[in-house]
Amino acid sequence: MDHLSLQDPLFATYVIAATLMILKAVSMSWLTVVRMMRVKGGFRSPEDLRKTPLNPEPNPKQLEPNERVERVRRIQMNDLENLPFFLVAGFLYILTEPSLLLARVLLYGYVASRLLHFAAYFTGQNHETRATFWSVGSFILIFMTIRTLLAAFGY
Amino acid sequence: MDHLSLQDPLFATYVIAATLMILKAVSMSWLTVVRMMRVKGGFRSPEDLRKTPLNPEPNPKQLEPNERVERVRRIQMNDLENLPFFLVAGFLYILTEPSLLLARVLLYGYVASRLLHFAAYFTGQNHETRATFWSVGSFILIFMTIRTLLAAFGY
Amino acid sequence: MDHLSLQDPLFATYVIAATLMILKAVSMSWLTVVRMMRVKGGFRSPEDLRKTPLNPEPNPKQLEPNERVERVRRIQMNDLENLPFFLVAGFLYILTEPSLLLARVLLYGYVASRLLHFAAYFTGQNHETRATFWSVGSFILIFMTIRTLLAAFGY
């Protein structure tokens, strides 16, 4: 059987989870762009203070950190610390041929945990809320990775 | 047919694009090293102020941000926000068996967009130029990812 | 032969190296959490100053950078600059069917270089020590990537 066929329900589960997470990650870049344009600031490069059609009235304050922009950058940083590893761990986990039910619970559970983490972080909920959602995702990632490592040793 | 054979033109296209992007990403680390050695600064860790053969005359100013070093770090950060997701999205996209022509346009187009983004950022071009190249790459990434997601649902 | 079988010694080598590196990366997040809880600081979001069960006595100083936390963040940042690219490069390199011995030397050598890099960075060794371990890993990554690129062109 071809493990990497999109017709294989197990692999399709991974592909759906992976593509949703990639779209989530890319959205953070665009959200940063939207917020920088709205607050007309939060820039980082000296050349961004040049007078151009998109920045007709440059101001040195535009290079200062802006909390509305920085919040999205922190969320994106959290994505970078987690999603690339999930993308590989989920792929390798699928190759251990887990049950379809368990794979769906873990992979879609991870997706849900990251979307809830985003919602909590974006709206500035208490640290405990954000940390809980992050932890759920992190535990799923650790479980899949250790399961795959054991499988590579024949267990 | 073995999807993951380097003799398969579709997979070879992905491998060429992916390895070029990995080399690009690794080059940013080495470019940071080169610039830190040239300006003898832009360091980040307290222990980097110790007197050693590579830093014979330590100075607290070496820990201050240096724009020539920070510019490469910003470029590298932009890579981290984009390339890991491209590497996975491109791989999964290939498994949807697009036409070879379309795959080449998208994957090599992405590579070109990132090299042009680097050139624009490195030489301090206006934000509009840099943003245009970044956007082209981002749209290619989004297109491939949505196409793959739809394929996983049978469309 | 199924390249992606965990029974294949070559692929198992990659899976072991990859999962160890993923666990290493995830550990940095948890180490950051542990250090933030110990020093009761190094936070980054304004909402983390709210009075909650986990932070009964909030203090604006908790948002200032704390070197013990920042050190782990720098180590994690170095992981993000390297590991996602290793995870993809190692996978593609295995598909070029190198000898098992060479694959083990390169992949396990990379893992060792990153663990030694962590040990040197975590304990604040001289920059030269840390840089040496990082360079070994970087050279392995570059070698595998160029070898794979050449293989995609039929060499």
Side-chain angles (χ1 to χ4, degrees):
Chain A
M1 162 109 210
D2 186 348
H3 290 307
L4 302 188
S5 162
L6 291 170
Q7 274 80 52
D8 176 39
L10 208 46
F11 188 61
T13 300
Y14 167 72
V15 170
I16 291 167
T19 50
L20 288 177
M21 290 291 84
I22 293 171
L23 290 175
K24 196 274 182 196
V26 175
S27 304
M28 293 306 101
S29 293
W30 286 100
L31 192 52
T32 306
V33 170
V34 167
R35 290 215 153 173
M36 284 195 297
M37 289 177 71
R38 282 214 185 142
V39 305
K40 295 191 176 93
F43 304 157
R44 286 181 160 175
S45 292
E47 64 265 31
D48 298 351
L49 291 190
R50 283 192 206 128
K51 186 169 177 167
T52 62
L54 280 175
N55 192 15
E57 293 172 23
N59 183 327
K61 289 200 171 182
Q62 291 180 308
L63 283 187
E64 292 173 7
N66 176 290
E67 169 58 17
R68 284 179 59 78
V69 177
E70 291 305 313
R71 177 171 297 277
V72 183
R73 287 205 170 110
R74 288 196 301 272
I75 297 175
Q76 185 173 30
M77 193 67 206
N78 194 281
D79 279 351
L80 303 188
E81 292 164 5
N82 290 277
L83 298 188
F85 303 107
F86 166 76
L87 292 173
V88 176
F91 177 74
L92 298 179
Y93 177 66
I94 287 298
L95 298 177
T96 68
E97 302 192 32
S99 78
L100 182 58
L101 178 63
L102 182 57
R104 282 183 173 158
V105 168
L106 293 172
L107 292 165
Y108 295 154
Y110 187 88
V111 171
S113 78
R114 295 302 300 176
L115 296 182
L116 289 167
H117 177 269
F118 168 76
Y121 212 157
F122 193 67
T123 59
Q125 301 302 309
N126 284 354
H127 174 263
E128 277 80 351
T129 308
R130 179 177 104 220
T132 301
F133 294 132
W134 176 81
S135 299
V136 169
S138 192
F139 286 136
I140 291 175
L141 177 53
I142 292 170
F143 173 83
M144 292 195 306
T145 307
I146 291 180
R147 184 69 201 83
T148 306
L149 177 59
L150 291 175
F153 280 113
Y155 295 101
Chain B
M1 161 115 210
D2 188 347
H3 290 308
L4 302 188
S5 162
L6 291 171
Q7 275 80 51
D8 176 39
L10 208 46
F11 188 60
T13 300
Y14 166 73
V15 171
I16 292 166
T19 50
L20 288 177
M21 289 291 85
I22 293 170
L23 291 174
K24 196 276 181 193
V26 176
S27 304
M28 293 306 102
S29 294
W30 285 100
L31 192 52
T32 306
V33 171
V34 167
R35 291 216 151 172
M36 284 195 297
M37 289 177 72
R38 282 213 185 144
V39 305
K40 295 191 175 93
F43 303 158
R44 285 181 161 174
S45 292
E47 63 265 30
D48 298 351
L49 291 190
R50 283 191 207 131
K51 187 169 177 167
T52 63
L54 279 175
N55 192 14
E57 292 172 24
N59 183 325
K61 288 200 173 184
Q62 291 181 307
L63 284 187
E64 290 174 7
N66 176 291
E67 168 59 16
R68 283 178 61 78
V69 177
E70 291 306 311
R71 177 171 297 277
V72 183
R73 286 204 170 113
R74 288 195 302 271
I75 296 175
Q76 185 173 31
M77 192 67 204
N78 194 281
D79 278 351
L80 303 188
E81 293 164 5
N82 290 277
L83 300 188
F85 304 107
F86 165 76
L87 292 173
V88 176
F91 177 74
L92 298 180
Y93 177 66
I94 286 298
L95 298 177
T96 68
E97 303 192 33
S99 77
L100 182 57
L101 177 65
L102 182 57
R104 281 182 174 159
V105 169
L106 292 172
L107 292 164
Y108 295 153
Y110 187 88
V111 171
S113 78
R114 294 303 300 177
L115 296 181
L116 289 168
H117 177 268
F118 168 76
Y121 213 156
F122 193 68
T123 59
Q125 301 303 309
N126 283 354
H127 173 264
E128 276 79 351
T129 309
R130 181 176 104 221
T132 301
F133 294 133
W134 175 81
S135 299
V136 169
S138 192
F139 286 135
I140 291 174
L141 177 51
I142 292 169
F143 174 82
M144 291 194 306
T145 307
I146 291 180
R147 184 69 202 84
T148 307
L149 177 60
L150 290 175
F153 280 113
Y155 295 100
Chain C
M1 160 116 211
D2 186 349
H3 290 307
L4 303 188
S5 162
L6 292 171
Q7 274 81 52
D8 176 38
L10 208 47
F11 188 60
T13 300
Y14 166 72
V15 170
I16 292 166
T19 50
L20 288 177
M21 289 292 84
I22 293 171
L23 291 175
K24 196 276 181 192
V26 176
S27 304
M28 294 306 101
S29 294
W30 285 100
L31 192 52
T32 306
V33 170
V34 167
R35 290 215 151 172
M36 283 196 298
M37 289 177 71
R38 283 214 184 142
V39 305
K40 295 190 176 96
F43 304 157
R44 285 181 162 175
S45 293
E47 63 265 30
D48 297 351
L49 290 190
R50 282 189 209 133
K51 187 169 177 167
T52 62
L54 279 175
N55 193 14
E57 293 172 24
N59 183 325
K61 288 200 173 184
Q62 291 181 307
L63 284 186
E64 291 173 8
N66 176 290
E67 170 57 17
R68 284 178 62 75
V69 177
E70 291 306 311
R71 177 171 297 278
V72 183
R73 286 205 172 112
R74 288 196 301 271
I75 297 175
Q76 184 172 32
M77 192 67 206
N78 194 281
D79 279 351
L80 302 189
E81 291 165 6
N82 291 277
L83 299 188
F85 303 107
F86 166 76
L87 292 173
V88 176
F91 177 74
L92 298 179
Y93 177 66
I94 287 298
L95 298 177
T96 68
E97 303 192 31
S99 78
L100 182 57
L101 177 65
L102 181 57
R104 281 182 174 160
V105 168
L106 293 172
L107 292 166
Y108 295 154
Y110 187 87
V111 171
S113 79
R114 294 303 299 177
L115 297 181
L116 289 167
H117 177 268
F118 169 76
Y121 212 156
F122 193 68
T123 59
Q125 301 302 308
N126 283 354
H127 174 263
E128 277 79 351
T129 309
R130 181 176 103 221
T132 301
F133 294 133
W134 175 81
S135 299
V136 170
S138 192
F139 286 135
I140 291 175
L141 177 51
I142 291 169
F143 174 83
M144 292 195 304
T145 306
I146 290 179
R147 183 69 201 83
T148 306
L149 177 60
L150 291 175
F153 280 112
Y155 295 101

